[in-house]
């Protein structure tokens, strides 16, 4: 049984069929890469699944339950979380406080954040553990706004991870960082995801990242699924190679 499944999922923007009757599934425990050229529909598909957009038709099923009409908050509570291509952090808060806020939010304690942050030992312990997992323990008292781009990417994923999701969407986790930083960032993220047995979907245009860290790849084109398979199968797929991998850019 799939952890996540979409059935004939559809989103149109006028005459543009951004997501066109898409059947998409994610298996428990896998790391799946979602690829596609500019305008392929990847981001729209993820926004529909995470609740940021309302579907024009079709269904989103999570753990066998129809979540198509649930709010973003309810989907997060149900176990779906995401990081963002444009990092979504509180820059005037420390790295520790960003993680702690995520934990408090998960526990429904956000109204008590300022009074509990220093006193809640369980939250403090968990926040420090998350920072350690993402290699940011020495940065715990540093404001998020002054971190390097690579560190900000790791913190953004750490904030999403602190929600303890069953399914984690990673939206271009290496965009905007130098080539030499990409592998170390992905090594950390991959180690956390796999050790904690979190199912992950990576939306990415760096093919080295896609082929190096995913178990399965789904390629989209013009709002539809073009192909899916193992990294080896996708490498050998001439249609994918001609349509996507040879393209100068990805969305």
């Amino acid at each position: 049984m799939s952890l996540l499944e979409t059935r004939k999922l559809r989103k149109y923007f006028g005459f543009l069929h951004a997501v066109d009757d898409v059947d998409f599934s994610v298996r428990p425990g896998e790391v799946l890469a979602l690829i596609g050229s500019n305008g392929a529909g990847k981001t729209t598909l993820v926004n529909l699944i995470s609740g940021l957009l309302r579907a024009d038709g079709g269904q989103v099923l999570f753990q066998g339950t129809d979540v198509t009409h649930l709010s973003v908050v309810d989907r997060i509570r149900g176990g779906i979380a995401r990081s963002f291509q444009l990092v979504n952090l509180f820059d005037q808060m420390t790295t520790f406080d960003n993680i702690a806020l995520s934990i408090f939010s998960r526990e429904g304690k956000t109204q008590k954040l300022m009074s509990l942050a220093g006193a809640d030992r369980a939250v403090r312990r968990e926040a420090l553990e998350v920072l350690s997992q993402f290699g940011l323990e020495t940065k715990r008292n540093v404001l998020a706004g002054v971190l390097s781009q690579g560190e900000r990417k790791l913190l953004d994923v750490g904030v999403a991870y602190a929600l303890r999701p069953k399914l984690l969407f990673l939206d271009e986790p290496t965009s905007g960082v130098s080539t030499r930083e990409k592998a170390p960032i992905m090594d950390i993220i991959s180690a956390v995801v796999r050790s904690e047995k979190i199912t992950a979907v990576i939306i990415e245009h760096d093919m080295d990242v896609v082929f190096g860290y995913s178990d399965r790849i789904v390629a989209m084109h013009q709002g539809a699924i073009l192909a899916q398979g193992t990294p080896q199968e996708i490498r050998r797929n001439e249609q994918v190679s001609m349509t996507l991998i040879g393209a100068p850019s990805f969305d």
Side-chain angles (χ1 to χ4, degrees):
M1 178 176 160
S2 297
L3 178 66
L4 175 87
E5 181 182 1
T6 71
R7 296 177 181 173
K8 303 299 181 186
L9 196 61
R10 185 168 67 249
K11 184 65 181 179
Y12 297 164
F13 298 101
F15 294 107
L16 175 64
H17 293 193
V19 172
D20 197 8
D21 288 339
V22 167
D23 295 327
F24 171 76
S25 64
V26 184
R27 303 162 187 162
E30 75 175 340
V31 175
L32 182 148
L34 184 60
I35 66 172
S37 56
N38 286 327
K42 305 186 308 294
T43 300
T44 302
L45 176 61
V46 173
N47 286 341
L48 291 170
I49 293 169
S50 57
L52 292 176
L53 285 176
R54 184 182 298 275
D56 292 329
Q59 290 180 295
V60 178
L61 304 176
F62 184 62
Q63 295 184 306
T65 299
D66 189 338
V67 300
T68 312
H69 303 293
L70 293 185
S71 67
V72 173
V73 172
D74 285 338
R75 295 188 206 204
I76 291 172
R77 288 172 179 164
I80 300 174
R82 67 179 295 184
S83 68
F84 290 85
Q85 178 182 358
L86 298 176
V87 175
N88 191 26
L89 299 171
F90 291 98
D91 285 348
Q92 299 306 311
M93 295 172 63
T94 66
T95 61
F96 172 87
D97 285 338
N98 270 271
I99 297 294
L101 178 59
S102 184
I103 298 169
F104 277 124
S105 176
R106 185 192 75 210
E107 299 293 331
K109 298 178 179 178
T110 50
Q111 292 182 338
K112 301 179 181 179
L113 174 64
M114 298 309 294
S115 61
L116 288 178
D120 193 313
R121 293 182 180 178
V123 170
R124 178 176 177 79
R125 183 167 56 250
E126 183 178 351
L128 292 174
E129 179 183 343
V130 171
L131 288 173
S132 178
Q133 287 177 284
F134 285 89
L136 296 169
E137 64 273 23
T138 62
K139 306 283 185 175
R140 64 176 178 260
N141 295 320
V142 175
L143 296 180
V146 301
L147 295 173
S148 70
Q149 181 65 9
E151 291 167 339
R152 285 171 61 77
K153 285 286 187 177
L154 287 170
L155 180 59
D156 192 45
V157 177
V159 166
Y161 165 75
L163 294 170
R164 302 302 182 189
K166 300 178 179 70
L167 174 62
L168 176 60
F169 285 96
L170 303 171
D171 193 352
E172 299 201 34
T174 65
S175 67
V177 304
S178 68
T179 300
R180 64 181 178 82
E181 289 181 288
K182 290 187 177 186
I185 288 171
M186 285 307 304
D187 285 345
I188 291 172
I189 293 173
S190 179
V192 173
V193 165
R194 293 190 185 280
S195 66
E196 299 296 330
K197 296 180 173 58
I198 297 171
T199 305
V201 175
I202 303 171
I203 304 95
E204 181 60 68
H205 20 100
D206 188 307
M207 291 297 104
D208 289 334
V209 170
V210 168
F211 288 117
Y213 293 91
S214 62
D215 304 315
R216 188 164 64 94
I217 299 171
V218 173
M220 290 189 70
H221 182 60
Q222 296 182 347
I225 302 296
L226 176 67
Q228 55 187 304
T230 65
Q232 295 75 18
E233 290 169 338
I234 295 299
R235 276 189 188 278
R236 295 193 298 265
N237 188 305
E238 292 186 8
Q239 189 177 18
V240 173
S241 182
M242 291 176 60
T243 306
L244 304 181
I245 298 176
S249 63
F250 296 82
D251 71 8

